């Protein structure tokens, strides 16, 4: 039977890898947050807002 050397925790090497991946993901998502929103998506959001303000009369109920 193989025993874990670190009960209830991850291997220190795995922990370092996990931390590195987490840091890279945070940097990636931060860069995505800073990207401009495409005009087509802004137009769609505006149409949805207008439909909500009109009470869903345009089929967007």
């Amino acid at each position: 039977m193989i025993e874990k050397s670190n009960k209830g925790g991850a291997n220190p090497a795995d922990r370092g890898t996990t931390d590195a991946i987490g840091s890279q993901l945070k940097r990636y998502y931060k860069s995505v947050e800073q990207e401009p929103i495409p005009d087509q998506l802004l137009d769609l959001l505006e149409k949805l807002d207008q439909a909500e303000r009109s009470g869903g009369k345009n089929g967007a109920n």
Side-chain angles (χ1 to χ4, degrees), residues 47-48 51-52 55-61:
K47 288 178 184 177
L48 289 171
E52 282 184 352
K57 295 176 187 170
N58 295 330
N61 198 0

Side-chain angles (χ1 to χ4, degrees), residues 1-2 5-8 11-12 14 16 18 20-21 23 26 28 30-33 35-36 38 42 47-48 53 55 58:
M1 177 184 249
I2 300 173
S5 61
N6 187 2
K7 288 186 178 182
N11 180 337
D14 292 343
T18 301
I21 292 171
S23 294
K26 286 178 186 176
Y28 174 74
K30 190 170 193 94
S31 72
V32 169
E33 284 180 334
E35 290 181 8
L42 291 173
K47 288 178 184 177
L48 289 171
R53 286 191 297 264
N58 295 330

Side-chain angles (χ1 to χ4, degrees), residues 37-51 60:
I37 299 172
D39 289 338
Q40 186 177 8
L41 181 56
L42 291 173
D43 290 343
L44 177 60
L45 291 171
E46 180 59 34
K47 288 178 184 177
L48 289 171
D49 284 342
Q50 288 174 359

